Amino acid sequence: MMRTAFAAIASHLKTRLLPDEHYTLWLSAEQTDFVRFNHGKVRQAGQVSQAYLTLTLVRGQRHASEQLSISGNADDLALVDASLLTLRGALDEIEDDPYLLLNTTPQSSERADANVLPASETMVADIVAAAGDADLVGILAAGPVYYGFANSYGQFNWQASSSWNFDWSLYAHGDKAVKRGSAGTHWSAENIAADIAEARTQLDLLRLPAKTLTPGSYRAYLTPSAVAEIAGMLNWGGLSEKQLRAKKSPLLKLAEGEQSFSPKFTLLENTGAGLAPAFQAEGFIRPAQVALVQNGKLAGSLISPRSAKEYGIEGNGASSWESSESMDMAGGDLPTAEVLQALGTGLYISNLWYLNFSDRAAGRITGMTRFACFWVENGQIVAPLNVMRFDDSLFRILGSELEALTSECELLVDPGSYGARSSASQRLPGALLRSLNLVL
Amino acid sequence: MFDTIEQRFRKLKSSVDFCAIRYVEEDSETLAVRQGKAEPLRRTRDRGAMITVFHRGGYGYAATADCSESGLAAALARATAWAEASADKTVFDYRQFTPPSPQGRYQGPGTDLPLDWNRKALFDLLLSESAAAKGKDERIVDWSADLARLDIRQRYVTHDGGAVDQQFRAILPGLTVTAYADGEAQTRSLGGQYGGLCRQGGMEIIAEAGLLGAGRRVADEALQLLYAPNCPNGAMDLLLMPEQMMLQIHESIGHPLELDRILGDERNYAGTSFVTLDMFGQYQYGSPQLNVTYDPSVSNEFASYGWDDDGRASEKVWLIRDGILQAPLGGSISQARAHAIGKDMAAVANSRACNWNRPPIDRMANLNIEAGDQSLDQLIAQVEHGVLMDTNVSWSIDDSRNKFQFGCEWGRIIENGQLKGVVKNPGYRGISATFWRSLKAVGNGDTVGVLGTPNCGKGEPNQAVRVGHASPACLFSQIDVFGGEA
């Protein structure tokens, strides 16, 4: 139904344009059951049906956009007509945009995966049964997600898929918990029960007396989930062409050759292996891969059509905010099974949390340990850790102090849902660090 | 449309224990310029409704942009289905909660007049401030200014006759400048880089927020930072100005006092709290100078309203009085949940949703520090060795909202009671549970700034909600202060 509604709007608009006008349409829609859990029970359960359509009207080098919430019904056409009039009026009041760049060579595509999910009520019943008396807290999001693009040059792109994402934790006591998350297009009650049972086995470790560290430098192993938080800081303007040019990227010193990463560190934008759509809001198709960091050197950046026009360079289909949506970090040669042995004595950090820059221009960051983090002695987990704050440099963590990366990588699907369910994902290894600076 | 929606809702057939509809219309427009050129003009026109059902102890909701009769009927059916499906699995038997049936109307400042939103004139203003920021200085490498307007109308209707209309208008100005030379970059802004000068009201906000004339001043400060030494390291007195105090309040008082966190709802995402239910009424949260209120009555503050999104009427509540913790930030449902486990405490009208498509949860609204009696000069005069910091740029805190580290754009050394030179990359660390006890003096009304944030993130599903913070300048003793890389 959503595709039909979107196609009808695209066709309708063609009949409403004046001779010197063009349009682009971007649709992000979903029908999601969100079920929130606390103490192994349901806290809030509901459904959100939303469809946000962004209409951009273009006349020469002038353009203006309006995002509309549409219903999927025939009355959407009147809404679009009203929006068209509003935007037409706005075009009279703005200047030409020298950086407007649209794809005028149609590259249509279509992908619609069958929905094989059971009713969300069934998933909830499976989760509550598997949780039993465990203190499980988290969120299940399930249902179809749609992305669409169309323009007056005749391009039409569509992606529809139905998936679930269950992001959860099991608590032992206080702030001591095991964090897990999984996602997919097929639901298995047995797999969920097995995941929860496996997490339960770690709770005993978290019930051991906790160790409180003093500030200082420690050897550390970061799981792929913890590495994801570090990599996320690269994504906060670090890989954006615009931010690099504006001297606001935390990788400024890498770009200028003052700093370097470890040769072990290689990073791709891997749209071909990710979940995000391969088309973007100006109609450009994303390449399957974009090299960002190659053996420690800056190899590229994420370039939106607007930046491409502004700087006179080739774009690579990045969205306007120029952040990675399908991040892929190359693994190394340390088998995950040998991580504790290789760590010897130090920190096993399952999760990091609430990272930010303590000196952005220098690539210095801070953040907290969270969930199941352990003190390890001679390759054996000895005690859970009380939370600690680190403050260190990206160029140390991914550079001078990076001793090894695990050979296995893990696919992490973003459970985020600000505004809409995220389609971002990261594929990352774990990282063994010679030292990490703890400050509080 | 509002009357039509209400009529359609009232015509729906249902035998559930309770149901309500919250219909929201939200329109916005953003004008922005960057490096002397206009950015693309962006508008939003958002309409939708959420139906909430309590039935047989379960709680379900359904949100839809299809507000036709059949669309609302489908939403009611889905919300009812979720209430029924969860009734034997809920963390709380919702029959222990009696939803209010409110009546009334709230009209925020600026909503009674047409908005003089002249795009050409406003673009000219932004371009003029932007040009003043750049001047002809090659060291200014990025400069931008923006202005957004936001108009919201909503109606909350309950099946048992309740009906509340609320209308809000807000203006959000911003201006940011980056200076760069010899491998060093410094960014300075007007009110912060994340919308700190958001306020309710009309076009008068532009002048009140200081956008007029800001371009040259902010650029000059960015250049001063470029050549300033790093903030010193060590324990010293710390004078925080309102553009940083708003963040300090937000992270280390607001979030830890959210009752849904204390009850465990947020542990998988936004975190828990070092505050426990037995602390209310007796815990020494801060020094006797600390007085914190939830105050919906401050004119122009960003999160003023008449009722929260569960229909509770708003009123001023003292959360911390003379340093002693009094009440949590918990709405009516959280209050009922606490009561069910034997803990009775005051409720605050802060069960809020960011839009029609997210359910209400406990959120800060206007969370303020009450003014003290010290002028800014008096605050500075008390400092033998310390730093003044202003305008938040970095924020990080643990999941219990205890160990924090914050960074500011702007710092000034204070020596022997006098303001001295500018320092760059000023930051400080502390622990919420003890930090507020080091509050030494609180500025008077002349030092108060009204700020906020349009993007406070929390909740599963995620919600970015609007929050207001008014605060005077505050002086803290012996705080762990640090600067940037050498």
Side-chain angles (χ1 to χ4, degrees):
Chain A
M1 179 187 123
M2 190 50 68
R3 186 195 179 286
T4 304
F6 181 62
I9 292 170
S11 298
H12 174 78
L13 272 171
K14 286 178 187 167
T15 69
R16 291 293 190 270
L17 291 181
L18 299 177
D20 56 349
E21 291 178 339
H22 284 281
Y23 76 79
T24 66
L25 282 179
W26 173 263
L27 179 79
S28 169
E30 64 186 74
Q31 186 177 66
T32 301
D33 285 314
F34 288 112
V35 182
R36 188 168 205 199
F37 299 89
N38 186 7
H39 299 305
K41 305 289 187 187
V42 175
R43 163 66 181 95
Q44 273 174 322
Q47 184 178 81
V48 174
S49 298
Q50 65 179 41
Y52 284 105
L53 180 80
T54 303
L55 167 61
T56 301
L57 182 66
V58 183
R59 188 172 70 213
Q61 284 298 113
R62 294 186 182 194
H63 60 115
S65 301
E66 187 165 53
Q67 185 189 67
L68 309 164
S69 54
I70 61 171
S71 65
N73 294 336
D75 52 7
D76 287 337
L77 299 183
L79 185 64
V80 166
D81 284 346
S83 180
L84 199 60
L85 288 177
T86 300
L87 293 173
R88 198 169 278 151
L91 291 187
D92 293 334
E93 298 180 345
I94 61 177
E95 303 294 320
D96 285 357
D97 179 2
Y99 306 141
L100 173 65
L101 183 62
L102 300 172
N103 182 29
T104 56
T105 307
Q107 292 177 281
S108 298
S109 63
E110 194 142 356
R111 182 185 143 196
D113 300 331
N115 182 355
V116 294
L117 298 178
S120 301
E121 288 91 330
T122 302
M123 300 184 202
V124 171
D126 292 342
I127 290 167
V128 171
D133 60 354
D135 187 1
L136 181 145
V137 56
I139 180 87
L140 171 73
V145 176
Y146 312 95
Y147 298 100
F149 175 84
N151 65 17
S152 50
Y153 299 102
Q155 182 167 333
F156 187 91
N157 304 91
W158 186 251
Q159 177 176 309
S161 60
S162 292
S163 62
W164 57 272
N165 191 315
F166 181 35
D167 189 62
W168 53 281
S169 319
L170 275 193
Y171 269 77
H173 62 95
D175 65 352
K176 300 294 181 290
V178 177
K179 178 85 166 78
R180 292 285 187 273
S182 49
T185 54
H186 292 69
W187 178 257
S188 163
E190 292 75 21
N191 289 350
I192 289 296
D195 286 349
I196 293 174
E198 184 275 332
R200 271 177 184 267
T201 64
Q202 292 206 7
L203 293 182
D204 287 342
L205 284 172
L206 291 170
R207 293 189 180 104
L208 293 171
K211 184 178 178 67
T212 300
L213 298 173
T214 54
S217 241
Y218 295 87
R219 274 179 75 75
Y221 171 71
L222 309 181
T223 66
S225 293
V227 172
E229 295 292 327
I230 301 288
M233 295 305 286
L234 300 178
N235 219 10
W236 193 346
L239 303 163
S240 153
E241 180 67 24
K242 185 166 89 170
Q243 297 300 311
L244 282 162
R245 300 260 184 168
K247 310 295 185 189
K248 290 160 91 169
S249 164
L251 301 188
L252 178 64
K253 291 188 183 299
L254 180 73
E256 298 191 343
E258 280 187 51
Q259 291 279 6
S260 61
F261 287 133
S262 163
K264 295 181 173 68
F265 178 36
T266 289
L267 190 71
L268 291 174
E269 173 68 351
N270 196 348
T271 302
L275 306 173
F279 50 92
Q280 54 85 267
E282 283 84 14
F284 290 93
I285 303 301
R286 295 169 169 162
Q289 294 188 336
V290 176
L292 298 170
V293 178
Q294 186 72 45
N295 300 118
K297 306 289 185 198
L298 192 64
S301 62
L302 295 164
I303 307 168
S304 67
R306 191 169 182 76
S307 289
K309 187 74 178 288
E310 179 172 356
Y311 304 120
I313 56 178
E314 191 79 17
N316 52 29
S319 57
S320 60
W321 51 91
E322 296 183 336
S323 63
S324 169
E325 295 175 49
S326 304
M327 184 178 275
D328 192 334
M329 183 170 161
D333 53 11
L334 174 63
T336 303
E338 296 174 15
V339 158
L340 287 176
Q341 203 60 40
L343 174 62
T345 296
L347 318 176
Y348 183 97
I349 298 175
S350 296
N351 299 87
L352 292 171
W353 150 256
Y354 220 132
L355 277 62
N356 209 317
F357 295 103
S358 42
D359 184 347
R360 185 186 185 95
R364 192 175 124 193
I365 60 174
T366 186
M368 294 300 305
T369 63
R370 193 179 180 188
F371 296 116
C373 296
F374 297 100
W375 177 248
V376 175
E377 287 182 3
N378 301 318
Q380 301 290 320
I381 288 177
V382 173
L385 289 175
N386 285 324
V387 296
M388 290 295 290
R389 170 170 296 287
F390 76 92
D391 189 313
D392 215 322
S393 158
L394 286 168
F395 301 111
R396 276 174 37 86
I397 295 169
L398 296 170
S400 61
E401 304 310 301
L402 181 59
E403 185 170 306
L405 295 167
T406 59
S407 42
E408 297 88 354
C409 292
E410 197 172 317
L411 177 67
L412 304 173
V413 180
D414 184 4
S417 51
Y418 284 106
R421 284 167 65 190
S422 172
S423 61
S425 61
Q426 293 171 291
R427 207 174 73 89
L428 306 144
L432 181 63
L433 308 184
R434 294 183 187 91
S435 74
L436 180 69
N437 290 329
L438 303 184
V439 294
L440 182 64
Chain B
M1 193 63 185
F2 289 85
D3 291 341
T4 303
I5 299 290
E6 180 170 348
Q7 286 161 12
R8 286 174 184 165
F9 173 72
R10 295 209 183 281
K11 278 170 57 182
L12 294 174
K13 298 280 185 280
S14 176
S15 56
V16 297
D17 297 343
F18 174 86
C19 66
I21 186 169
R22 181 167 49 84
Y23 173 70
V24 182
E25 293 189 350
E26 188 169 311
D27 296 326
S28 73
E29 181 168 311
T30 302
L31 310 178
V33 302
R34 175 177 167 267
Q35 297 190 2
K37 304 224 169 21
E39 293 277 277
L41 185 144
R42 293 200 165 88
R43 296 172 50 84
T44 67
R45 179 184 162 87
D46 198 356
R47 308 280 184 269
M50 172 170 285
I51 291 182
T52 302
V53 166
F54 296 100
H55 191 53
R56 296 176 185 160
Y59 170 7
Y61 65 83
T64 181
D66 181 358
C67 294
S68 64
E69 288 183 16
S70 61
L72 294 182
L76 175 61
R78 189 66 187 132
T80 303
W82 269 125
E84 289 177 337
S86 61
D88 61 345
K89 305 178 184 68
T90 55
V91 71
F92 170 67
D93 183 340
Y94 288 90
R95 283 172 292 204
Q96 299 172 79
F97 163 66
T98 305
S101 183
Q103 290 283 348
R105 176 176 173 78
Y106 177 87
Q107 195 162 7
T111 56
D112 53 340
L113 295 170
L115 193 68
D116 182 22
W117 189 259
N118 182 325
R119 289 191 187 105
K120 281 186 174 172
L122 293 171
F123 266 125
D124 285 346
L125 167 67
L126 295 174
L127 286 166
S128 165
E129 291 299 335
S130 179
K134 172 62 177 171
K136 295 184 185 306
D137 198 319
E138 293 298 316
R139 298 168 298 177
I140 302 297
V141 293
D142 197 46
W143 60 105
S144 60
D146 53 84
L147 188 65
R149 58 178 273 196
L150 183 62
D151 282 286
I152 303 168
R153 288 188 66 189
Q154 59 185 66
R155 180 173 291 185
Y156 178 75
V157 178
T158 65
H159 81 289
D160 55 357
V164 160
D165 272 324
Q166 302 199 80
Q167 189 173 359
F168 313 96
R169 168 167 288 160
I171 301 290
L172 297 84
L175 186 144
T176 303
V177 179
T178 299
Y180 172 82
D182 303 326
E184 169 77 21
Q186 284 288 322
T187 296
R188 184 73 174 119
S189 68
L190 174 71
Q193 297 166 43
Y194 305 96
L197 286 171
C198 47
R199 292 182 190 171
Q200 285 193 30
M203 303 306 279
E204 73 281 0
I205 300 294
I206 294 173
E208 289 176 14
L211 180 61
L212 308 176
R216 190 59 251 159
R217 178 182 67 78
V218 171
D220 179 63
E221 290 180 356
L223 290 166
Q224 288 184 55
L225 286 168
L226 201 54
Y227 298 103
N230 262 306
C231 180
N233 299 326
M236 62 192 78
D237 283 0
L238 176 62
L239 177 56
L240 296 181
M241 301 302 286
E243 289 181 13
Q244 172 58 21
M245 277 303 297
M246 58 84 61
L247 187 281
Q248 183 71 52
I249 302 165
H250 183 96
E251 302 290 1
S252 77
I253 294 180
H255 282 308
L257 295 196
E258 290 162 346
L259 189 48
D260 61 345
R261 278 176 177 270
I262 298 169
L263 294 169
D265 290 357
E266 288 286 339
R267 291 174 297 163
N268 183 61
Y269 180 59
T272 179
S273 176
F274 72 92
V275 175
T276 55
L277 291 172
D278 53 3
M279 289 180 177
F280 293 96
Q282 48 90 20
Y283 180 71
Q284 184 80 44
Y285 204 99
S287 74
Q289 283 72 36
L290 183 63
N291 287 288
V292 181
T293 56
Y294 158 70
D295 191 350
S297 66
V298 180
S299 177
N300 294 129
E301 199 165 347
F302 201 35
S304 298
Y305 50 82
W307 291 264
D308 73 9
D309 291 324
D310 277 333
R312 185 182 185 90
S314 67
E315 59 180 350
K316 184 171 180 174
V317 176
W318 288 72
L319 304 170
I320 298 172
R321 192 188 285 269
D322 301 331
I324 304 295
L325 184 60
Q326 305 291 327
L329 287 164
S332 299
I333 291 178
S334 291
Q335 182 189 40
R337 291 171 66 193
H339 175 75
I341 55 175
K343 303 288 184 183
D344 288 320
M345 50 195 64
V348 174
N350 73 340
S351 189
R352 306 176 60 207
C354 66
N355 204 339
W356 59 268
N357 50 9
R358 291 291 183 266
I361 56 175
D362 289 342
R363 302 304 301 253
M364 285 171 263
N366 288 348
L367 180 71
N368 303 340
I369 289 194
E370 298 290 310
D373 59 2
Q374 304 276 297
S375 69
L376 186 59
D377 286 345
Q378 287 172 318
L379 292 172
I380 292 168
Q382 294 180 50
V383 179
E384 188 177 331
H385 173 58
V387 181
L388 173 151
M389 295 189 197
D390 201 10
T391 317
N392 180 261
V393 72
S394 174
W395 61 102
S396 174
I397 190 164
D398 77 33
D399 62 306
S400 300
R401 296 284 154 170
N402 223 344
K403 291 183 174 182
F404 64 78
Q405 177 170 317
F406 301 142
C408 295
E409 289 180 359
W410 180 253
R412 293 279 303 271
I413 294 290
I414 308 175
E415 288 289 350
N416 300 319
Q418 296 204 316
L419 271 181
K420 301 290 185 183
V422 175
V423 289
K424 67 182 177 184
N425 304 317
Y428 62 101
R429 304 183 181 103
I431 296 174
S432 298
T434 54
F435 175 81
W436 292 99
R437 296 176 198 164
S438 64
L439 177 63
K440 195 168 156 184
V442 177
N444 61 22
D446 291 343
T447 73
V448 170
V450 178
L451 296 131
T453 174
N455 295 306
C456 171
K458 184 186 168 185
E460 291 175 316
N462 304 149
Q463 304 193 40
V465 81
R466 293 177 281 273
V467 175
H469 296 299
S471 176
C474 287
L475 178 62
F476 299 85
S477 60
Q478 293 303 296
I479 303 301
D480 183 11
V481 165
F482 62 89
E485 296 290 285

